[in-house]
Amino acid sequence: MSQNTGTPLNILVLVKHVPDVQFDRHLSGPGQRLDRKDSVLSELDEYAIEAALALAEARGGDKAGNTVTAMTMGPEAAANAVKKSLQMGAAAGVHICDPALAGSDAGATSLALATAIKQLGGFDVVLTGMASTDAETSLVPAQLAERLGVAQLTNLSKLEIDPGTNTVTALRVGEDGAQSVEATLPVLISVTDQANEPRYPNFRGILAAKKKKITTLTLAQLGLAEEAVGAAGSATRVLSAAPRPPRAAGQVITDSGQAGIALVDFLADAKLI
């Protein structure tokens, strides 16, 4: 008996180019913007890519008409986040790139992304990570769902889509317990780092990615005015910032027979016991 794979899915996964967590982060310029010269694909977005690929593969993959598209927003270098997504298995990429986007907060970012998604159209599932590893606001998924007028299932650790009813059933685990949630397509989904184990791009995937198309969209092509995004279109801004103070040196306790007592006294003075 053949497996019921249902109608093909058109899945969009949103990815972000963020400063590498291995290096210290720096703010620069009059707007106190994050220095992004040493940037990579956000680690948390890899879980969203893996979830998108798994959903497509569960319905027969690209041979059955399922597609996974990766979209990012940012300067020219942000295209590298899309390229990594293509290497992992996404079929195509979209890069929203315009100088006027610099300085966009979560609201302006969700506006640009939602406008592009509506223009491209036809997506059954929009997938994101639980947060980006730079700002870590987790605001964009909910804002996007509102702007797109679709249901949102956020911070999921497990999900599947019934091929017969196109109903998403999922698990959300929080501090107070676990919730079973569901929604029908179209839907916006964000997944946590407990949702799966992202695959590594293999040599074949890296070569195949070179032939995949990345479409670049500007604000003019999206029909968005410059003042609607960037610093001008953002409701929030950084007024000031200062480097984190260096960590104070710790206290070394030398064991001369009284180390245990000295340790207890130290913890008591710090009100830790």
Side-chain angles (χ1 to χ4, degrees), residues 120-179:
L120 295 171
F123 293 108
D124 303 300
V125 180
V126 177
L127 258 161
T128 78
M130 60 189 289
S132 60
T133 54
D134 50 2
E136 298 185 14
T137 66
S138 298
L139 294 174
V140 171
Q143 292 180 357
L144 263 179
E146 178 68 19
R147 293 187 187 278
L148 295 173
V150 300
Q152 57 170 306
L153 299 178
T154 55
N155 294 322
L156 305 182
S157 57
K158 184 179 180 181
L159 74 149
E160 60 182 20
I161 301 178
D162 186 297
T165 63
N166 277 339
T167 299
V168 182
T169 56
L171 181 69
R172 177 191 294 130
V173 179
E175 294 181 359
D176 300 324
Q179 297 177 324

Side-chain angles (χ1 to χ4, degrees), residues 1-238:
M1 182 179 294
S2 62
Q3 182 181 5
N4 178 17
T5 57
T7 57
L9 290 175
N10 191 4
I11 304 172
L12 178 69
V13 57
L14 302 179
V15 297
K16 191 173 183 182
H17 202 230
V18 300
D20 195 328
V21 296
Q22 298 183 63
F23 303 104
D24 291 334
R25 302 178 188 181
H26 303 282
L27 299 178
S28 61
Q32 299 290 341
R33 295 173 186 170
L34 197 59
D35 185 348
R36 298 181 180 275
K37 64 180 181 181
D38 295 312
S39 294
V40 295
L41 170 66
S42 176
E43 180 182 347
L44 294 176
D45 289 341
E46 294 186 10
Y47 297 92
I49 298 168
E50 180 61 37
L53 296 173
L55 288 175
E57 290 166 356
R59 292 210 180 191
D62 55 359
K63 292 183 179 179
N66 299 279
T67 59
V68 175
T69 303
M71 175 186 285
T72 195
M73 170 183 138
E76 290 184 8
N80 290 326
V82 174
K83 292 177 181 178
K84 176 70 176 293
S85 306
L86 300 181
Q87 292 172 356
M88 291 178 68
V94 179
H95 181 195
I96 306 171
C97 185
D98 196 292
L101 290 167
S104 294
D105 66 0
T109 297
S110 67
L111 173 63
L113 290 172
T115 302
I117 293 170
K118 290 177 181 178
Q119 185 177 107
L120 295 171
F123 293 108
D124 303 300
V125 180
V126 177
L127 258 161
T128 78
M130 60 189 289
S132 60
T133 54
D134 50 2
E136 298 185 14
T137 66
S138 298
L139 294 174
V140 171
Q143 292 180 357
L144 263 179
E146 178 68 19
R147 293 187 187 278
L148 295 173
V150 300
Q152 57 170 306
L153 299 178
T154 55
N155 294 322
L156 305 182
S157 57
K158 184 179 180 181
L159 74 149
E160 60 182 20
I161 301 178
D162 186 297
T165 63
N166 277 339
T167 299
V168 182
T169 56
L171 181 69
R172 177 191 294 130
V173 179
E175 294 181 359
D176 300 324
Q179 297 177 324
S180 295
V181 293
E182 67 176 40
T184 55
L185 302 181
V187 64
L188 184 140
I189 295 170
S190 71
V191 295
T192 72
D193 55 358
Q194 301 301 308
N196 51 56
E197 187 65 36
R199 66 194 69 184
Y200 290 100
N202 55 33
F203 184 68
R204 182 178 179 181
I206 294 172
L207 290 179
K210 297 179 183 296
K211 300 178 182 179
K212 296 176 181 178
K213 182 181 179 180
I214 299 178
T215 301
T216 301
L217 296 174
T218 64
L219 289 180
Q221 291 171 313
L222 293 176
L224 275 176
E226 292 186 359
E227 57 269 22
V229 295
S234 296
T236 61
R237 54 184 47 85
V238 178

